[in-house]
């Protein structure tokens, strides 16, 4: 989103704070002074991830603190789903498993955390898949289930959308 | 009313004790175990019969068995609480059929016959003006059938899901709480009498799947068998996988689900928030019923145990007694 605010100390922090307060995650901040326009205002572009349904409250908050929202860019939904994989994941090439998801173009492996097992024991890994829609996350999970069947590992899926 | 009972193990003793101690108006007129039986149309002295069973391992006279009892006509309701055979349902299936054909109502805790032959047993009961009740087959003491049938009458059920196996729940709970390995937790469950010598049925998810089959057929009139259930057990679950879940206040439980609209009939270990109502401890069972009008209702209770299972059988007996006469 593109914001316009007074160019005075502490102003940038005042817009960042509400975003983190609602549980958002700031991906990038670009700010520029454009002398051609007014010198006392600052244009800021913020790219952030915020929880579903929190855009309206955020905008209300900006209004309250006197920040002018010039433009809201494309709103993209982000859906994350974590599953736990159990099996001989390293022997069956975990990189290849990740690539299978990443190469779909509609979903990606966002995080991976693995607990190394004792030798010859299956390892356990939590994999978080991210996409811009629930349908695409489910498509990615379907692919992962196929991979699991081929490589003989167990997928433990969430009961609900956690 | 007069009742005859086949099986005098953990559940049977609980029922006999309840009939003896609680004034619920039933007379036990016949009983059999694997080796013996007795028929006393005027009523068995339960205390001395239980004492004899304790002392000799036999409740009656060798050579008297299910066949004699069924043919005796000394009973109005048959209680079938002999061991489960999930492949053939026998010998319980034949006993239940025989009783129904004679117009006698049947109450059972035995999953085998109910899961294997649901439709035809019901047809038989219908044809002969008898009742077939099996509250105790699913989730032990939890009145799931009664709740759905009476408490939630008129409410279409859209989904049923829950923890249907106490042994698995115990194992997963101990792995999460104490960091035990699967093998250690299984061993502990055995020592405490929560797992059988051969735990295959429990840990492979088959026991939970059989309960789903019964529910699917009873609640929605489906015609499902064990082969229709997608089953994954807990024997592949690692302590590390539970630790990974617990990092985010989640845990792992064996969940059975029926979602008719999506064609889901599945038993599988699942990641679930620790704060979820289905996350129960020890050997408890829990089942959530999703309904159109009442929203979601969750029942939690003991899925097994002598008196607990007897409680479900007794409620079925009382149901039949209260309905009796309405049909005739
Ligand atoms: N235990 C529970 O908490 C629980 C919960 C829900 C459902 N159930 C189901 O309820 C049923 C009974 O369970 P349980 O725990 O009581 O089992 P159990 O302790 O093994 O007792 C089984 C009883 O059946 C008798 N029996 C074996 N074959 C027989 C035959 N052909 N005719 C007549 N009696 C026979 C046995 O005789 P002997 O005494 O001579 O061995 C024993 O008395 C099973 O189907 C079980 O799956 C149990």
């Amino acid at each position: 989103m593109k914001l316009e605010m007074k160019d005075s100390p502490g102003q940038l922090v005042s817009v960042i704070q509400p975003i983190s307060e609602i549980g958002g995650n700031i991906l990038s901040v670009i700010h520029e002074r454009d002398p051609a326009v007014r010198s006392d205002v600052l244009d800021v572009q913020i790219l952030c991830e915020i929880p579903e349904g929190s855009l309206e409250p955020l905008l209300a908050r900006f209004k309250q603190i006197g920040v002018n929202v010039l433009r809201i860019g494309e709103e993209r939904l982000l859906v994350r789903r974590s599953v736990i994989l159990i099996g001989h994941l390293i022997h069956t090439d975990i990189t290849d498993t990740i690539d299978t998801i990443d190469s779909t173009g509609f979903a990606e492996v966002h995080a991976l955390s693995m607990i190394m097992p004792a030798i010859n024991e299956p390892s356990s890994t939590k994999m978080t898949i991210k996409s811009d829609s629930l349908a695409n996350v489910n498509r990615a999970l379907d692919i992962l289930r196929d991979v699991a069947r081929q490589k003989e590992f167990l997928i433990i899926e969430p009961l609900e959308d956690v | 009313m007069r009742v005859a009972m086949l099986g005098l193990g953990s559940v049977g003793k609980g029922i006999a004790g309840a009939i003896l101690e609680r004034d619920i108006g039933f007379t036990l007129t016949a009983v059999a175990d694997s080796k013996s039986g007795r028929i006393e149309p005027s009523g068995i002295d339960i205390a001395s019969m239980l004492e004899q069973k304790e002392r000799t391992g036999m409740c009656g006279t060798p050579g008297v068995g299910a066949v004699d009892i069924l043919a005796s006509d000394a009973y109005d309701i048959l209680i079938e609480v002999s061991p489960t055979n999930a492949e053939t349902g026998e010998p319980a299936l034949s006993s239940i059929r025989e009783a129904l054909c004679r117009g006698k109502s049947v109450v059972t805790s035995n999953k085998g016959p109910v899961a294997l032959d649901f439709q035809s047993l019901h047809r038989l009961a219908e044809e002969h003006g008898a009742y077939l009740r099996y509250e105790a087959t699913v989730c032990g003491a939890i009145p799931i059938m009664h709740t759905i049938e009476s408490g939630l009458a008129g409410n279409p059920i859209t989904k049923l899901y829950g923890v249907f196996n106490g042994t698995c729940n115990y194992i997963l709970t101990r792995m999460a709480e104490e960091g035990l390995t699967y093998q250690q937790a299984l061993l502990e469950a055995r020592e405490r009498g929560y797992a059988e010598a051969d735990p295959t049925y429990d840990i492979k998810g088959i026991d939970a799947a059989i309960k789903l089959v019964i529910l699917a057929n009873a609640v929605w009139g489906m015609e499902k068998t064990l082969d229709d259930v997608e089953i994954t057990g807990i024997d592949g679950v690692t302590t590390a996988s539970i630790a990974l879940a617990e990092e985010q206040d989640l845990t792992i439980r064996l969940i059975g689900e029926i979602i008719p609209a999506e064609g889901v009939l599945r038993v599988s270990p699942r990641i679930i928030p620790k704060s979820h109502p289905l996350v129960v401890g020890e050997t408890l069972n829990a089942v959530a019923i999703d309904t159109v009008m009442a929203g979601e209702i969750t029942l939690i209770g003991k899925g097994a145990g002598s008196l607990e299972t007897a409680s479900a059988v007794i409620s079925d007996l009382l149901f039949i007694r209260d309905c009796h006469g309405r049909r005739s």
Side-chain angles (χ1 to χ4, degrees), chain B residues 92 134 188 207 216:
Chain B
Y134 40 86
E188 199 187 81
D207 173 75

Side-chain angles (χ1 to χ4, degrees), chain B residues 164-181:
Chain B
F164 294 97
N165 186 275
T167 309
C168 290
N169 201 65
Y170 182 81
I171 292 171
L172 294 173
T173 305
R174 298 295 292 162
M175 288 170 75
E177 282 172 356
E178 304 293 331
L180 301 182
T181 63

